[in-house]
Amino acid sequence: MRRVERQENEGLFGVPELSAPEGFHIAQEKALRKTELLVDRACSTPPGPQTVLIFDELSDSLCRVADLADFVKIAHPEPAFREAAEEACRSIGTMVEKLNTNVDLYQSLQKLLADKNLVDSLDPETRRVAELFLFDFEISGIHLDQEKRKRAVDLNVKILDLSSTFLTGTNFPNKIEKHLLPEHIRHNFTSAGDHIIIDGLHAEAPDDLVREAAYKIFLYPNAGQLKCLEELLSSRDLLAKLVGYSTFSHRALQGTIAKNPETVMQFLEKLSDKLSERTLKDFEMIREMKMKLNPQNSEVMPWDPPYYSGVIRAERYNIEPSLYCPFFSLGACMEGLNILLNRLLGISLYAEQPAKGEVWSEDVRKLAVVHESEGLLGYIYCDFFQRADKPHQDCHFTIRGGRLKEDGDYQLPVVVLMLNLPRSSRSSPTLLTPGMMENLFHEMGHAMHSMLGRTRYQHVTGTRCPTDFAEVPSILMEYFANDYRVVNQFARHYQTGQPLPKNMVSRLCESKKVCAAADMQLQVFYAALDQIYHGKHPLRNSTTDILKETQEKFYGLPYVPNTAWQLRFSHLVGYGAKYYSYLMSRAVASMVWKECFLQDPFNRAAGERYRKEMLAHGGGREPMLMVEGVLQKCPSVDDFVSALVSDLDLDFETFLMDSE
């Protein structure tokens, strides 16, 4: 790994203004001034491809501050930086709202798209980007008369407020008077005076009664939260109708792989049918285990599957994480990624020494992503270690999107990968559990999508693509992380250098199949519930009655009276009408794996095809065309369903290993 030394304080991510929190104000003012100039240019330029370029530059100048600030406001250890970033997000957000209601700006784009000859002269990527910009405009009701436009703006504001209130409510603990809980389980929960606080489902607790109490109390309906959800769903529906869609779901699914809610429901119903027998077998297996451990009460309840499937896994397959960790040091895993990316795509990761002030914590690593013939592709900042105040989720942030600049150079993408790994100690390096290793591969899949996107416009760079396509590259990387031929390249015991035995990898893969059908069935139920909530309004029943019906139809375990799980369904905010996306992305990833990489996970020709047909386009091409390009056929809903279901059964890895 080569290293480059630098001294002077460069500011976060090498942005000179950001060497101090006050710099955010300077950066945002600069962006806002540039925005005004670009708006004037857009409005005075005759409609043509140039219009789209100006719009993209406009989007770029705002995103470069907003995306960076979005990351800093949650990840920077210093409160002053977090607050300054928060303020920058707010002022850029206000500017975006202003632009979305700027009629002249809208008309400059609308004129272009209304002129058939001009539209026919645009290349497909430019045309798609123009349509995406127009689509963003129209959700603000800009194409409507003044009164309706005001209603659309008001609804957008109301939806934002309701969303943040609902999100807060999804995590809010419930409390119950102490004497109402059996004495022998009270110590499992936090107490406050004569109340017990329940702040989650305690899904892993071995005592059935603890899980049952947590489920019934944590999911007990809160009237305020219920009203908030009802208002959120009806406001979304009103907004969608106002701007010309029959339901919110129809609007949300524009431009996705699924295209419309009818296809999503067809996908979920067919998947549910195909899963039902396997799900029943899983529930039966859980019932037997419950019977064995708790003979007096063996009916399977919704609070049972996570715990009992874990017990079954542990009993059948000895997959104690501590047995695996020594083989997965962070150094070995990064080397594994390097080998894989090099053989598949001709890419290497090089550690660079960041300049003073460039990173927000001294343990952040900066990687240059370099192609063997094309040179530097972009930068990945790895913020991998636990620290106080750091959010717990693993995620990928775009800091700067790639785009073709006016001078013909390419603006290199910059991303952050955030994980929560344990630090190294005196006696051992950072060691990853198999789950952490798989997450590292998953997040690196997102990073490669960002690094390899070579879109002309940053509006569709890398992961800026439809939600049901966005997880394809990351889930595909999980298939590599679970393949012995890949793992064998890097998994070495950090003390002895011994490779990870083959049977340990197959045990791990087999263990993931335990109750996998029931797990997937649960996801189908959540996805169906999300579709119904965002479908035809007024809803035919209360949200709780709909939950009960949908749970009985799509999951099979009984609804528990006086509970309202939907009030804890935080994904309704960020993934409204799109919760199915993860299942759809997994189906596509599974098909890509089987078609391109199952026979040889290091196949360079397949890697190049995958890059050329999928990764290179970001969101600049219709997702189904990208899927077709890689698979060399147009998959049907049945193909997606079969791909998901076949992953539950035949274990390709073991099948291959046994036949070698």
Side-chain angles (χ1 to χ4, degrees):
M1 296 244 177
R2 59 185 184 143
R3 293 190 173 275
V4 188
E5 294 289 339
R6 295 208 202 96
Q7 276 321 303
E8 70 289 0
N9 189 342
E10 285 213 354
L12 285 175
F13 297 105
V15 177
E17 293 91 342
L18 299 185
S19 53
E22 304 75 58
F24 266 109
H25 191 70
I26 301 166
Q28 89 200 24
E29 289 308 311
K30 222 160 104 176
L32 297 177
R33 277 199 303 278
K34 188 173 176 188
T35 302
E36 283 169 15
L37 292 172
L38 287 165
V39 169
D40 292 343
R41 242 174 81 194
C43 296
S44 57
T45 304
Q50 192 59 27
T51 313
V52 185
L53 276 171
I54 297 169
F55 266 83
D56 193 61
E57 206 180 327
L58 189 58
S59 165
D60 182 61
S61 59
L62 292 170
C63 287
R64 285 176 72 160
V65 179
D67 290 341
L68 199 155
D70 261 334
F71 169 71
V72 172
K73 76 176 184 188
I74 67 160
H76 204 290
E78 291 174 38
F81 265 105
R82 292 201 299 268
E83 284 155 25
E86 182 90 56
E87 181 50 46
C89 284
R90 271 198 297 272
S91 66
I92 301 278
T94 310
M95 185 59 169
V96 171
E97 280 166 37
K98 228 169 84 181
L99 294 177
N100 280 341
T101 52
N102 181 327
V103 179
D104 296 338
L105 190 61
Y106 164 69
Q107 281 172 347
S108 66
L109 189 65
Q110 212 261 330
K111 274 183 207 140
L112 167 67
L113 287 167
D115 184 327
K116 191 174 177 324
N117 293 338
L118 275 176
V119 171
D120 290 345
S121 72
L122 300 177
D123 63 274
E125 188 184 359
T126 303
R127 184 174 167 173
R128 183 170 168 87
V129 171
E131 286 166 352
L132 287 169
F133 276 123
L134 194 75
F135 179 62
D136 289 343
F137 263 126
E138 294 189 340
I139 195 59
S140 301
I142 196 152
H143 53 308
L144 307 171
D145 63 44
Q146 209 168 350
E147 185 205 344
K148 284 184 174 157
R149 197 181 319 145
K150 179 166 172 16
R151 269 181 50 212
V153 171
D154 292 345
L155 276 168
N156 273 308
V157 172
K158 185 178 176 185
I159 288 167
L160 271 177
D161 287 347
L162 288 166
S163 298
S164 90
T165 307
F166 182 77
L167 262 185
T168 309
T170 57
N171 295 311
F172 205 75
N174 271 344
K175 58 180 185 194
I176 184 172
E177 290 173 31
K178 254 190 192 151
H179 68 89
L180 295 171
L181 268 192
E183 199 168 339
H184 71 282
I185 66 167
R186 289 178 200 165
H187 68 275
N188 291 279
F189 306 107
T190 317
S191 56
D194 43 14
H195 282 86
I196 299 267
I197 311 278
I198 313 268
D199 59 0
L201 289 173
H202 292 256
E204 305 301 324
D207 186 332
D208 286 352
L209 196 56
V210 170
R211 292 194 314 280
E212 177 177 347
Y215 188 93
K216 288 177 171 173
I217 300 164
F218 189 63
L219 298 183
Y220 187 78
N222 169 301
Q225 181 76 341
L226 192 59
K227 189 167 177 303
C228 180
L229 175 62
E230 287 165 357
E231 278 192 37
L232 176 62
L233 297 177
S234 67
S235 301
R236 279 177 167 174
D237 179 70
L238 282 172
L239 179 63
K241 288 199 173 83
L242 190 60
V243 298
Y245 295 90
S246 54
T247 69
F248 180 81
S249 187
H250 281 90
R251 187 203 159 258
L253 298 179
Q254 275 242 265
T256 57
I257 294 179
K259 292 190 173 75
N260 56 55
E262 292 74 24
T263 307
V264 175
M265 280 317 279
Q266 192 192 5
F267 168 62
L268 295 173
E269 281 171 351
K270 286 186 165 182
L271 180 54
S272 191
D273 288 347
K274 276 278 194 328
L275 284 173
S276 63
E277 247 175 78
R278 293 171 176 82
T279 301
L280 286 172
K281 278 193 186 131
D282 284 354
F283 287 153
E284 186 47 38
M285 197 160 68
I286 289 170
R287 201 185 65 76
E288 283 167 11
M289 179 55 81
K290 188 171 180 178
M291 182 95 169
K292 199 165 107 181
L293 298 178
N294 184 3
Q296 66 276 33
N297 180 9
S298 64
E299 188 192 355
V300 178
M301 295 304 281
W303 51 81
D304 289 328
Y307 172 69
Y308 285 108
S309 58
V311 173
I312 297 166
R313 213 170 280 133
E315 191 175 90
R316 281 199 194 165
Y317 306 96
N318 182 15
I319 50 156
E320 187 47 54
S322 59
L323 296 172
Y324 287 83
C325 288
F327 294 92
F328 293 135
S329 69
L330 180 56
C333 295
M334 293 306 289
E335 187 48 33
L337 281 166
N338 214 1
I339 293 167
L340 177 64
L341 296 172
N342 200 282
R343 288 175 64 178
L344 268 188
L345 298 157
I347 282 171
S348 302
L349 307 172
Y350 291 103
E352 278 199 9
Q353 184 67 34
K356 188 170 176 298
E358 188 180 345
V359 293
W360 49 100
S361 175
E362 73 286 353
D363 55 13
V364 174
R365 300 280 173 266
K366 179 184 182 183
L367 298 180
V369 181
V370 180
H371 187 272
E372 58 193 20
S373 62
E374 296 162 38
L376 181 63
L377 296 179
Y379 289 104
I380 302 173
Y381 289 84
C382 301
D383 186 355
F384 280 175
F385 302 102
Q386 295 163 349
R387 64 172 176 271
D389 285 346
K390 181 176 167 181
H392 274 298
Q393 77 268 38
D394 296 344
C395 37
H396 159 276
F397 293 86
T398 299
I399 300 297
R400 185 175 76 195
R403 71 183 178 113
L404 193 59
K405 294 194 292 198
E406 279 190 54
D407 60 9
D409 282 349
Y410 199 77
Q411 173 172 298
L412 296 179
V414 175
V415 303
V416 173
L417 291 190
M418 192 155 84
L419 304 174
N420 277 281
L421 303 177
R423 296 175 179 280
S424 52
S425 64
R426 278 222 180 101
S427 56
S428 79
T430 287
L431 300 177
L432 282 67
T433 63
M436 291 171 186
M437 184 272 286
E438 190 179 276
N439 281 359
L440 171 65
F441 272 65
H442 177 102
E443 296 304 333
M444 193 55 88
H446 285 307
M448 284 303 119
H449 201 182
S450 293
M451 293 297 119
L452 291 168
R454 277 302 174 261
T455 52
R456 189 180 323 174
Y457 305 101
Q458 69 77 43
H459 193 63
V460 289
T461 180
T463 54
R464 290 183 184 158
C465 59
T467 316
D468 59 2
F469 182 72
E471 293 294 325
V472 172
S474 51
I475 295 173
L476 180 62
M477 284 296 278
E478 295 175 18
Y479 284 87
F480 288 99
N482 285 298
D483 188 288
Y484 180 71
R485 295 161 297 181
V486 176
V487 174
N488 188 40
Q489 298 290 319
F490 70 88
R492 299 283 177 277
H493 196 289
Y494 76 98
Q495 286 165 317
T496 64
Q498 173 208 351
L500 181 65
K502 200 173 200 175
N503 67 340
M504 282 178 73
V505 179
S506 50
R507 270 203 331 250
L508 195 59
C509 292
E510 283 304 309
S511 76
K512 288 179 182 167
K513 302 275 186 292
V514 171
C515 297
D519 288 344
M520 193 177 284
Q521 190 83 52
L522 183 63
Q523 295 303 313
V524 171
F525 154 45
Y526 294 162
L529 186 66
D530 171 48
Q531 284 303 310
I532 297 166
Y533 282 170
H534 292 102
K536 206 165 157 310
H537 272 246
L539 295 173
R540 59 172 190 274
N541 252 326
S542 72
T543 57
T544 305
D545 287 338
I546 291 170
L547 171 88
K548 179 177 187 288
E549 287 164 29
T550 314
Q551 180 166 333
E552 280 158 9
K553 179 179 173 189
F554 282 102
Y555 189 42
L557 292 187
Y559 163 78
V560 179
N562 296 317
T563 62
W565 179 83
Q566 77 276 19
L567 304 183
R568 302 290 184 184
F569 193 2
S570 56
H571 286 84
L572 286 174
V573 171
Y575 290 86
K578 294 182 183 180
Y579 191 85
Y580 78 92
S581 295
Y582 190 80
L583 286 166
M584 184 72 87
S585 283
R586 181 164 285 285
V588 174
S590 168
M591 292 175 80
V592 173
W593 170 255
K594 286 166 196 152
E595 175 63 36
C596 302
F597 303 112
L598 174 63
Q599 276 183 298
D600 172 11
F602 300 108
N603 182 329
R604 179 68 186 261
E608 292 297 341
R609 180 167 108 211
Y610 168 57
R611 176 186 177 180
K612 181 169 138 289
E613 297 291 347
M614 227 177 222
L615 296 178
H617 301 289
R621 205 172 165 196
E622 202 180 311
M624 202 51 148
L625 291 175
M626 297 192 265
V627 174
E628 271 177 59
V630 173
L631 298 177
Q632 297 177 334
K633 70 163 201 175
C634 179
S636 65
V637 169
D638 290 320
D639 293 330
F640 289 146
V641 168
S642 306
L644 286 170
V645 174
S646 69
D647 277 352
L648 300 173
D649 293 346
L650 190 112
D651 193 312
F652 288 108
E653 285 85 358
T654 349
F655 178 72
L656 275 169
M657 292 191 305
D658 292 345
S659 61
E660 276 167 15

